[in-house]
Protein backbone atom coordinates (compact mmCIF):
# COMPACT_ATOMS: atom_id res chain seq x y z
CA UNK A 1 0.00 0.00 0.00
CA UNK A 2 1.14 3.51 -0.62
CA UNK A 3 0.53 6.89 0.96
CA UNK A 4 -2.44 7.35 -1.38
CA UNK A 5 -6.07 6.51 -0.86
CA UNK A 6 -7.22 3.89 -3.36
CA UNK A 7 -10.34 1.83 -4.11
CA UNK A 8 -8.67 -1.02 -2.27
CA UNK A 9 -8.39 1.09 0.88
CA UNK A 10 -12.01 2.17 0.50
CA UNK A 11 -13.08 -1.47 0.22
CA UNK A 12 -11.14 -2.42 3.33
CA UNK A 13 -12.73 0.47 5.21
CA UNK A 14 -16.20 -0.63 4.22
CA UNK A 15 -15.41 -4.09 5.62
CA UNK A 16 -14.09 -2.55 8.82
CA UNK A 17 -17.30 -0.52 9.23
CA UNK A 18 -19.37 -3.69 8.74
CA UNK A 19 -17.25 -5.49 11.34
CA UNK A 20 -17.80 -2.68 13.84
CA UNK A 21 -21.53 -2.83 13.17
CA UNK A 22 -21.44 -6.54 13.99
CA UNK A 23 -19.56 -5.67 17.20
CA UNK A 24 -22.46 -3.44 18.24
CA UNK A 25 -21.73 0.04 16.90
CA UNK A 26 -25.13 1.36 15.78
CA UNK A 27 -24.72 5.01 14.85
CA UNK A 28 -24.82 5.39 11.05
CA UNK A 29 -22.84 8.64 11.36
CA UNK A 30 -20.04 6.95 13.31
CA UNK A 31 -19.89 4.03 10.85
CA UNK A 32 -19.83 6.52 7.98
CA UNK A 33 -16.87 8.33 9.57
CA UNK A 34 -14.96 5.04 9.87
CA UNK A 35 -15.73 4.36 6.21
CA UNK A 36 -14.51 7.81 5.20
CA UNK A 37 -11.25 8.37 7.10
CA UNK A 38 -8.05 6.95 5.56
CA UNK A 39 -6.68 5.33 8.74
CA UNK A 40 -3.66 3.95 6.85
CA UNK A 41 -2.36 7.51 6.48
CA UNK A 42 -2.23 7.84 10.29
CA UNK A 43 0.17 4.91 10.66
CA UNK A 44 3.89 4.33 10.13
CA UNK A 45 4.69 2.51 6.89
CA UNK A 46 5.56 -0.63 8.87
CA UNK A 47 1.89 -1.09 9.87
CA UNK A 48 0.14 0.33 6.84
CA UNK A 49 -0.86 -3.09 5.42
CA UNK A 50 -2.87 -3.82 8.55
CA UNK A 51 -4.47 -0.40 8.98
CA UNK A 52 -8.02 -1.70 8.57
CA UNK A 53 -7.81 -4.46 11.13
CA UNK A 54 -9.50 -3.71 14.41
CA UNK A 55 -6.27 -3.35 16.38
CA UNK A 56 -4.16 -0.65 18.06
CA UNK A 57 -0.70 0.33 16.74
CA UNK A 58 2.28 2.26 18.12
CA UNK A 59 2.42 5.89 16.94
CA UNK A 60 5.74 6.92 18.53
CA UNK A 61 6.59 8.51 21.89
CA UNK A 62 5.40 5.28 23.59
CA UNK A 63 1.78 5.95 22.56
CA UNK A 64 -0.80 4.09 20.48
CA UNK A 65 -3.59 4.82 18.03
CA UNK A 66 -6.66 3.21 19.63
CA UNK A 67 -8.54 0.28 18.04
CA UNK A 68 -11.24 1.45 15.62
CA UNK A 69 -13.84 -0.26 17.83
CA UNK A 70 -12.72 1.77 20.85
CA UNK A 71 -12.77 5.01 18.84
CA UNK A 72 -16.25 4.22 17.48
CA UNK A 73 -17.54 3.17 20.93
CA UNK A 74 -16.37 6.36 22.64
CA UNK A 75 -17.68 8.53 19.80
CA UNK A 76 -21.10 6.86 19.91
CA UNK A 77 -21.35 7.41 23.69
CA UNK A 78 -20.80 11.15 23.20
CA UNK A 79 -24.17 11.47 21.34
CA UNK A 80 -22.77 14.29 19.24
CA UNK A 81 -24.91 16.89 17.53
CA UNK A 82 -23.63 19.02 14.68
CA UNK A 83 -22.05 22.28 15.76
CA UNK A 84 -21.24 21.17 19.32
CA UNK A 85 -17.99 22.20 21.01
CA UNK A 86 -15.91 19.18 21.97
CA UNK A 87 -12.77 18.95 24.10
CA UNK A 88 -10.50 15.99 23.35
CA UNK A 89 -7.71 14.97 25.73
CA UNK A 90 -4.90 13.02 24.00
CA UNK A 91 -4.64 14.06 20.34
CA UNK A 92 -2.13 11.29 19.57
CA UNK A 93 -2.25 10.39 15.88
CA UNK A 94 -5.33 12.57 15.34
CA UNK A 95 -7.49 9.66 14.17
CA UNK A 96 -10.11 10.16 16.91
CA UNK A 97 -9.99 13.90 16.16
CA UNK A 98 -10.83 13.18 12.51
CA UNK A 99 -13.77 10.97 13.54
CA UNK A 100 -15.12 13.79 15.72
CA UNK A 101 -14.72 16.29 12.87
CA UNK A 102 -16.61 13.97 10.51
CA UNK A 103 -19.51 14.19 13.00
CA UNK A 104 -19.73 17.93 12.31
CA UNK A 105 -18.48 19.24 15.66
CA UNK A 106 -15.81 21.81 16.60
CA UNK A 107 -12.81 20.13 18.20
CA UNK A 108 -10.32 21.47 20.75
CA UNK A 109 -7.63 18.84 21.24
CA UNK A 110 -4.81 18.70 23.81
CA UNK A 111 -1.65 16.57 23.61
CA UNK A 112 1.13 16.44 26.21
CA UNK A 113 3.82 14.85 24.00
CA UNK A 114 5.54 17.59 22.02
CA UNK A 115 6.60 15.28 19.18
CA UNK A 116 3.03 14.02 18.62
CA UNK A 117 1.55 17.50 18.96
CA UNK A 118 3.97 18.86 16.32
CA UNK A 119 3.34 16.01 13.91
CA UNK A 120 -0.46 15.87 14.16
CA UNK A 121 -1.14 19.62 14.08
CA UNK A 122 0.47 19.66 10.60
CA UNK A 123 -0.73 16.28 9.36
CA UNK A 124 -4.49 16.58 10.02
CA UNK A 125 -4.97 19.87 8.12
CA UNK A 126 -2.87 18.40 5.28
CA UNK A 127 -5.61 15.80 4.71
CA UNK A 128 -8.44 18.28 5.18
CA UNK A 129 -9.26 18.11 8.91
CA UNK A 130 -9.16 21.35 10.91
CA UNK A 131 -9.22 21.41 14.68
CA UNK A 132 -7.71 23.64 17.36
CA UNK A 133 -4.56 21.92 18.64
CA UNK A 134 -2.98 22.62 22.01
CA UNK A 135 0.30 21.42 23.52
CA UNK A 136 -0.35 21.08 27.23
CA UNK A 137 -1.70 19.08 30.13
CA UNK A 138 -5.18 17.74 29.48
CA UNK A 139 -5.78 17.36 33.24
CA UNK A 140 -6.20 21.13 33.31
CA UNK A 141 -8.43 21.32 30.24
CA UNK A 142 -8.86 24.66 28.50
CA UNK A 143 -10.63 27.02 30.94
CA UNK A 144 -10.45 29.92 28.47
CA UNK A 145 -12.59 28.03 25.93
CA UNK A 146 -15.02 26.40 28.40
CA UNK A 147 -17.77 25.33 28.67
CA UNK A 148 -17.67 22.32 26.34
CA UNK A 149 -20.77 20.38 25.27
CA UNK A 150 -18.81 17.15 25.26
CA UNK A 151 -15.42 16.00 26.62
CA UNK A 152 -13.60 12.85 25.50
CA UNK A 153 -10.50 11.45 27.22
CA UNK A 154 -8.52 9.01 25.08
CA UNK A 155 -6.02 7.84 27.73
CA UNK A 156 -6.60 5.73 30.85
CA UNK A 157 -7.31 8.05 33.78
CA UNK A 158 -6.70 6.88 37.38
CA UNK A 159 -9.29 9.47 38.47
CA UNK A 160 -11.57 12.08 36.92
CA UNK A 161 -9.70 15.36 36.49
CA UNK A 162 -11.73 17.96 38.50
CA UNK A 163 -11.09 20.89 36.12
CA UNK A 164 -12.68 18.89 33.30
CA UNK A 165 -15.87 18.38 35.30
CA UNK A 166 -16.04 22.14 35.82
CA UNK A 167 -15.48 22.82 32.13
CA UNK A 168 -18.36 20.58 31.04
CA UNK A 169 -21.56 22.44 30.12
CA UNK A 170 -24.73 21.62 32.06
CA UNK A 171 -26.44 18.87 30.06
CA UNK A 172 -23.03 17.93 28.65
CA UNK A 173 -21.44 14.48 28.49
CA UNK A 174 -17.93 13.32 29.36
CA UNK A 175 -16.63 9.93 28.21
CA UNK A 176 -13.59 8.75 30.16
CA UNK A 177 -11.82 5.39 30.56
CA UNK A 178 -11.26 5.12 34.31
CA UNK A 179 -8.75 2.85 36.01
CA UNK A 180 -5.05 2.03 36.39
CA UNK A 181 -4.16 -1.16 34.52
CA UNK A 182 -7.51 -1.74 32.85
CA UNK A 183 -10.14 0.92 32.45
CA UNK A 184 -13.93 0.96 32.73
CA UNK A 185 -15.46 3.12 30.03
CA UNK A 186 -17.45 5.68 31.99
CA UNK A 187 -20.07 8.17 30.83
CA UNK A 188 -20.79 11.17 33.04
CA UNK A 189 -23.71 13.45 32.33
CA UNK A 190 -23.69 16.83 34.05
CA UNK A 191 -27.25 17.49 35.22
CA UNK A 192 -26.54 20.64 37.30
CA UNK A 193 -23.53 22.45 38.78
CA UNK A 194 -21.60 19.70 40.63
CA UNK A 195 -24.26 17.06 39.84
CA UNK A 196 -23.46 14.10 37.61
CA UNK A 197 -25.13 10.89 36.49
CA UNK A 198 -22.74 8.04 35.87
CA UNK A 199 -23.10 5.02 33.59
CA UNK A 200 -20.36 2.39 33.29
CA UNK A 201 -19.66 0.31 30.19
CA UNK A 202 -17.19 -2.51 29.52
CA UNK A 203 -13.47 -2.78 30.14
CA UNK A 204 -10.90 -1.30 27.78
CA UNK A 205 -7.15 -0.90 27.75
CA UNK A 206 -5.51 2.49 27.20
CA UNK A 207 -2.07 4.06 27.59
CA UNK A 208 -2.06 6.12 30.81
CA UNK A 209 -3.21 9.70 31.19
CA UNK A 210 -0.14 11.37 32.68
CA UNK A 211 -0.10 14.62 34.59
CA UNK A 212 1.78 17.69 33.40
CA UNK A 213 3.11 18.08 29.91
CA UNK A 214 6.15 16.36 28.53
CA UNK A 215 8.87 19.01 28.34
CA UNK A 216 10.12 18.12 24.88
CA UNK A 217 12.09 14.96 25.67
CA UNK A 218 10.46 12.79 23.04
N1 LIG B 1 -6.87 9.57 20.28
C1 LIG B 1 -5.52 9.09 20.02
C2 LIG B 1 -5.11 8.10 21.09
C3 LIG B 1 -3.72 8.34 21.51
S1 LIG B 1 -3.21 7.46 22.96
C4 LIG B 1 -5.45 8.46 18.64
O1 LIG B 1 -6.50 8.16 18.08
O2 LIG B 1 -4.36 8.30 18.11
C5 LIG B 1 -3.47 8.66 24.23
C6 LIG B 1 -2.77 10.00 24.04
O3 LIG B 1 -3.00 10.76 25.22
C7 LIG B 1 -1.27 9.91 23.87
O4 LIG B 1 -0.89 10.59 22.70
C8 LIG B 1 -0.72 10.60 25.13
O5 LIG B 1 0.49 11.28 24.92
C9 LIG B 1 -1.84 11.55 25.47
N2 LIG B 1 -1.90 12.00 26.85
C10 LIG B 1 -1.63 11.31 27.99
N3 LIG B 1 -1.79 12.11 29.08
C11 LIG B 1 -2.16 13.33 28.61
C12 LIG B 1 -2.46 14.59 29.24
N4 LIG B 1 -2.40 14.76 30.56
N5 LIG B 1 -2.80 15.63 28.45
C13 LIG B 1 -2.87 15.50 27.10
N6 LIG B 1 -2.59 14.35 26.45
C14 LIG B 1 -2.23 13.28 27.19
Amino acid sequence: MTRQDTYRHKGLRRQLALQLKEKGINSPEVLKAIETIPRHLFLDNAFIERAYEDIAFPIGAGQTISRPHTVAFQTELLQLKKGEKVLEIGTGSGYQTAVLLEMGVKVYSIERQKALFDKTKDFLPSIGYSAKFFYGDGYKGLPVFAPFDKIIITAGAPEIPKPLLEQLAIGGIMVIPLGDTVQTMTLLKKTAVNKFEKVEYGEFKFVPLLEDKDWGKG
Side-chain angles (χ1 to χ4, degrees), residues 12-185:
L12 291 171
R13 282 206 287 282
R14 197 163 311 126
Q15 282 171 30
L16 174 62
L18 285 172
Q19 238 187 68
L20 296 184
K21 195 170 178 194
E22 277 164 20
K23 291 183 186 174
I25 303 298
N26 289 313
S27 159
E29 291 83 13
V30 172
L31 293 169
K32 181 81 196 303
I34 300 286
E35 238 187 278
T36 306
I37 302 164
R39 188 174 188 251
H40 62 287
L41 300 182
F42 291 73
L43 300 178
D44 288 344
N45 282 326
F47 309 114
I48 207 162
E49 280 292 334
R50 306 186 63 194
Y52 297 105
E53 294 177 32
D54 189 18
I55 44 183
F57 291 103
I59 52 171
Q63 306 304 319
T64 55
I65 178 172
S66 302
R67 285 174 61 191
H69 176 261
T70 304
V71 173
F73 194 84
Q74 282 195 279
T75 308
E76 190 163 76
L77 288 184
L78 285 172
Q79 299 165 45
L80 297 169
K81 292 181 202 71
K82 284 198 171 40
E84 283 186 332
K85 221 166 107 184
V86 180
L87 175 64
E88 178 189 39
I89 311 301
T91 315
S93 69
Y95 181 73
Q96 171 75 70
T97 317
V99 171
L100 296 171
L101 290 167
E102 282 289 344
M103 308 292 289
V105 299
K106 259 179 97 173
V107 183
Y108 296 71
S109 189
I110 312 179
E111 173 55 54
R112 72 177 285 280
Q113 293 277 359
K114 185 73 164 63
L116 289 173
F117 164 78
D118 284 338
K119 189 173 170 189
T120 301
K121 78 168 182 354
D122 292 336
F123 167 68
L124 267 191
S126 82
I127 60 162
Y129 291 109
S130 306
K132 298 205 185 304
F133 299 104
F134 299 85
Y135 167 50
D137 179 6
Y139 260 93
K140 300 185 180 70
L142 290 171
V144 176
F145 296 97
F148 295 96
D149 301 305
K150 306 287 163 68
I151 300 180
I152 175 171
I153 289 91
T154 73
E159 62 192 61
I160 305 167
K162 288 253 158 50
L164 299 186
L165 290 177
E166 281 159 23
Q167 291 169 38
L168 189 61
I170 292 173
I173 289 175
M174 177 188 299
V175 174
I176 180 167
L178 277 176
D180 289 323
T181 43
V182 285
Q183 291 83 33
T184 303
M185 194 61 78

